[in-house]
Amino acid sequence: MTVRPILSFLLGTIVAFSSLYSPISAIARPPLDTNSPNAPLDIPDIVVASDVSDYAVAAPKVFWSTRSAGCPVPLSAAEASAVDTPKSPNSPSTPPNDEYVRRVSIYGSEPRTLWQNITSVCSTSRIIASNIVADSDFVYWTTSSALVRQSTNANVGDTPEIVTTEISGTTELAIDSVYVHVLKGGGSNPNYTARVWSVKKSDKSVKPLASRTNLTGYPNSIASSIGTRLSGDSYVYWLESGRLMRYNLNTDAIGSIATGVSNFYPEGPVTLCFL
């Protein structure tokens, strides 16, 4: 037997074995409507089938948070008299306001819960006050009192680590290889405010980047791009009433680079290979 047939056999065996244990392949795909003239040729894989409030990707893992929809609308007196079970906020039939942070590998693994908050009483308050962001080591989010992070190898019951108490409450987060960037909006029209920070992951140091006032729209959509010696400076971006703002982390320069923007994508550094 030659080397090529042996390699082909081993590769085929590995692929077949991996597909048996992939959580993605285990979820049945919907049938393809081949009669539709606009039917897609490929159907996206379902990574997580339900209960996803927010997600982050740190290849090869996908992280997601689950936050319940909150308390159900109370029944009127007439509606309550027409049912057999009580519907008070403390009733066992009321869905609890549970929260989770979980992960799964896109190459095949069982979902793993890194953190959870289980409550038996329906409440409008939640612990997670932001989107989640992640790298290979930690998942980050804000609470009412701090920016925290949880190890990507944590188990249920492990307490998240406090990164800084200088930043808290409802925020938007972005992450790159060096920093976690934070955008916090406030105020009301026409006096919305925007505060922006960068938190260095290695030493938890906090650098205020911007404090903006008199905005006519709520700030949103923070993102970042890290430069290299070949691709230039590093930037933090966010939106203010359709204006795309950019902060240069190398020079501290700040300004609007486009208007009428609904969405954007910072491409980030480009690696050039010379052969």
Side-chain angles (χ1 to χ4, degrees):
M1 182 179 291
T2 63
V3 173
R4 181 171 295 177
I6 293 176
L7 293 177
S8 299
F9 172 78
L10 290 175
L11 180 60
T13 302
I14 292 172
V15 172
F17 180 80
S18 299
S19 66
L20 291 175
Y21 291 89
S22 171
I24 296 175
S25 63
I27 301 175
R29 296 183 178 184
L32 180 64
D33 181 11
T34 56
N35 295 322
S36 173
N38 297 318
L41 298 179
D42 296 297
I43 299 177
D45 291 314
I46 298 174
V47 180
V48 181
S50 62
D51 297 327
V52 178
S53 301
D54 182 51
Y55 73 95
V57 178
K61 298 181 178 69
V62 176
F63 302 83
W64 75 96
S65 67
T66 299
R67 283 162 274 175
S68 71
C71 301
V73 177
L75 298 178
S76 66
E79 291 171 328
S81 64
V83 296
D84 296 330
T85 56
K87 297 294 182 181
S88 68
N90 296 318
S91 170
S93 61
T94 300
N97 199 28
D98 298 342
E99 298 174 274
Y100 301 91
V101 174
R102 295 181 168 115
R103 77 170 205 211
V104 70
S105 171
I106 60 174
Y107 295 141
S109 71
E110 291 296 323
R112 176 170 178 164
T113 299
L114 305 179
W115 175 87
Q116 66 182 23
N117 173 44
I118 305 297
T119 174
S120 59
V121 178
C122 186
S123 171
T124 57
S125 64
R126 297 180 177 89
I127 291 181
I128 300 176
S130 68
N131 60 309
I132 62 170
V133 293
D135 56 23
S136 59
D137 298 313
F138 295 99
V139 186
Y140 295 79
W141 65 88
T142 55
T143 70
S144 61
S145 59
L147 170 67
V148 302
R149 67 185 181 185
Q150 182 76 308
S151 170
T152 57
N153 293 316
N155 296 299
V156 173
D158 293 345
T159 302
E161 174 187 1
I162 294 177
V163 178
T164 178
T165 56
E166 294 182 44
I167 300 167
S168 60
T170 302
T171 62
E172 284 189 33
L173 307 182
I175 195 170
D176 55 42
S177 59
V178 181
Y179 299 100
V180 173
H181 306 285
V182 185
L183 171 63
K184 185 178 181 68
S188 59
N189 189 29
N191 297 308
Y192 287 111
T193 62
R195 299 181 66 190
V196 185
W197 300 267
S198 286
V199 182
K200 199 168 186 178
K201 295 188 289 184
S202 60
D203 61 10
K204 305 181 185 178
S205 59
V206 179
K207 179 181 179 180
L209 303 186
S211 181
R212 309 270 296 165
T213 59
N214 301 321
L215 307 179
T216 58
Y218 199 81
N220 61 87
S221 303
I222 190 168
S224 67
S225 63
I226 289 292
T228 67
R229 286 181 297 177
L230 294 177
S231 62
D233 293 343
S234 300
Y235 298 96
V236 179
Y237 305 83
W238 66 94
L239 289 178
E240 295 178 355
S241 307
R243 289 182 299 172
L244 179 56
M245 304 299 297
R246 184 175 72 177
Y247 183 96
N248 189 315
L249 289 169
N250 299 81
T251 66
D252 295 328
I254 183 175
S256 172
I257 61 173
T259 58
V261 179
S262 300
N263 205 348
F264 67 95
Y265 174 74
E267 186 175 4
V270 177
T271 302
L272 302 179
C273 298
F274 300 93
L275 302 179

